[in-house]
Amino acid sequence: MAPYEWIETLHQLRRQRCGCVLITVLNERGSVPRDRGSKMIVTADQQFFTIGGGHLEFQCIEMARAMLAQGRALPHCEPFSLGARLGQCCGGATTILFEPLPVNQPQIAVFGAGHVGQALVRLLHTLPCHIHWIDERAACLADAPEGVTVCHSDDPAAWVSQLPADSYFVVMTHHHPLDLAICEAILRRDDYRYAGVIGSQTKRQRFEYRLGGKGFSAQQLARLRCPIGLPEVKGKLPAEIAVAVAAEIIAVYQQAQQGGTGG
């Protein structure tokens, strides 16, 4: 690793809105894989640089990912005895500093990459949020802005379970039955912050009838927003609809940040 190359990696991860843990060797005693100051960066599914490999590195990666999954934000120091604790032949001792750098931003899933979906994703990308863009058509996702998580899937509804609790779901696919299947999956998990589906009041009534037949209560159905978007923002152009929907989402997450219930 070139000097301070890790800073550029942190910068790139921040631009991609990806949380990580910065791992640093604080000190060493005896024979250890890496010297004091060596660094490694760990995300939920990637790692950059190394603190020497072996069981020490493997255990540090596991600890870092557990910190990310638990949403921990405070630094933590952990001593390691490489012989007694890890069974590594070098037999020295070291202390490792874990510095979580979480990205506490709204997680927004946009289902659909049509004209309105394209306009909405580009608008949301300018806000402090992490976007998951899901569609069956790979070509429609080809021009995704940097930092957007693209999910090309033949079964978009299956992606609903992949999002964390308190996520924001926007449903605007090219097929009403698919919209319905995604809405059903969202309502079944019941731990979301926002769920909206594009469409008219007539579409809402049809969805309520069909979802009610699947056992959803009136209270559960009331949480589903359809039509979506602030009613004060009018217009039928994709950009106008995107502005209305984005404004509604902003209002919900600002309320959540202020301690309201949102959703």
Side-chain angles (χ1 to χ4, degrees), residues 17-34:
R17 297 164 185 166
C18 178
C20 65
V21 176
L22 176 63
I23 296 174
T24 305
V25 178
L26 282 188
N27 57 50
E28 77 272 5
R29 187 175 71 253
S31 179
V32 295
R34 281 291 187 275

Side-chain angles (χ1 to χ4, degrees), residues 81-161:
S81 176
L82 276 64
R85 178 173 175 179
L86 301 177
Q88 292 188 210
C89 59
C90 48
T94 187
T95 300
I96 304 295
L97 172 64
F98 297 82
E99 296 178 90
L101 301 170
V103 179
N104 296 319
Q105 297 176 331
Q107 302 281 323
I108 304 176
V110 177
F111 291 85
H115 294 306
V116 178
Q118 297 270 351
L120 179 60
V121 165
R122 290 191 174 89
L123 181 55
L124 292 174
H125 179 254
T126 66
L127 302 173
C129 60
H130 186 89
I131 307 161
H132 306 259
W133 199 10
I134 305 101
D135 200 282
E136 298 168 297
R137 302 160 296 176
C140 295
L141 301 168
D143 295 328
E146 182 182 3
V148 171
T149 299
V150 171
C151 311
H152 170 229
S153 174
D154 292 331
D155 184 13
W159 275 92
V160 172
S161 63

Side-chain angles (χ1 to χ4, degrees), residues 188-199:
R188 290 204 182 281
R189 60 176 294 168
D190 201 34
D191 62 352
Y192 55 90
R193 176 69 61 180
Y194 170 96
V197 57
I198 196 169

Side-chain angles (χ1 to χ4, degrees), residues 8-259:
E8 177 60 27
T9 300
L10 287 181
H11 177 65
Q12 291 293 332
L13 291 173
R14 180 61 56 177
R15 288 180 59 192
Q16 296 167 13
R17 297 164 185 166
C18 178
C20 65
V21 176
L22 176 63
I23 296 174
T24 305
V25 178
L26 282 188
N27 57 50
E28 77 272 5
R29 187 175 71 253
S31 179
V32 295
R34 281 291 187 275
D35 296 334
R36 181 183 312 171
S38 298
K39 295 182 183 293
M40 179 170 66
I41 297 170
V42 176
T43 72
D45 55 8
Q46 297 182 84
Q47 63 194 70
F48 305 87
F49 315 118
T50 181
I51 55 170
H55 198 188
L56 171 65
E57 182 166 298
F58 176 79
Q59 195 165 106
C60 286
I61 291 170
E62 281 197 330
M63 291 177 64
R65 287 183 175 151
M67 295 175 81
L68 288 172
Q70 295 162 10
R72 293 171 60 182
L74 296 178
H76 170 71
C77 285
E78 182 81 12
F80 289 89
S81 176
L82 276 64
R85 178 173 175 179
L86 301 177
Q88 292 188 210
C89 59
C90 48
T94 187
T95 300
I96 304 295
L97 172 64
F98 297 82
E99 296 178 90
L101 301 170
V103 179
N104 296 319
Q105 297 176 331
Q107 302 281 323
I108 304 176
V110 177
F111 291 85
H115 294 306
V116 178
Q118 297 270 351
L120 179 60
V121 165
R122 290 191 174 89
L123 181 55
L124 292 174
H125 179 254
T126 66
L127 302 173
C129 60
H130 186 89
I131 307 161
H132 306 259
W133 199 10
I134 305 101
D135 200 282
E136 298 168 297
R137 302 160 296 176
C140 295
L141 301 168
D143 295 328
E146 182 182 3
V148 171
T149 299
V150 171
C151 311
H152 170 229
S153 174
D154 292 331
D155 184 13
W159 275 92
V160 172
S161 63
Q162 304 299 312
L163 277 293
D166 291 324
S167 290
Y168 296 68
F169 295 92
V170 185
V171 184
M172 46 178 59
T173 78
H174 60 293
H175 197 38
H176 281 206
L178 179 56
D179 283 354
L180 182 65
I182 295 169
C183 288
E184 180 180 350
I186 295 168
L187 292 175
R188 290 204 182 281
R189 60 176 294 168
D190 201 34
D191 62 352
Y192 55 90
R193 176 69 61 180
Y194 170 96
V197 57
I198 196 169
S200 63
Q201 189 63 37
T202 299
K203 181 176 180 179
R204 179 185 184 90
Q205 291 170 351
R206 290 174 179 169
F207 274 32
E208 284 185 341
Y209 175 78
R210 295 188 180 186
L211 292 168
K214 294 177 179 289
F216 292 103
S217 67
Q219 184 178 11
Q220 287 175 300
L221 295 173
R223 292 189 64 196
L224 186 65
R225 298 175 186 248
C226 180
I228 50 174
L230 290 186
E232 296 84 357
V233 182
K234 302 184 185 300
K236 296 184 178 181
L237 294 174
E240 292 170 333
I241 298 171
V243 167
V245 175
E248 184 170 85
I249 291 172
I250 291 168
V252 173
Y253 79 59
Q254 286 183 345
Q255 183 181 13
Q257 290 170 349
Q258 294 165 7

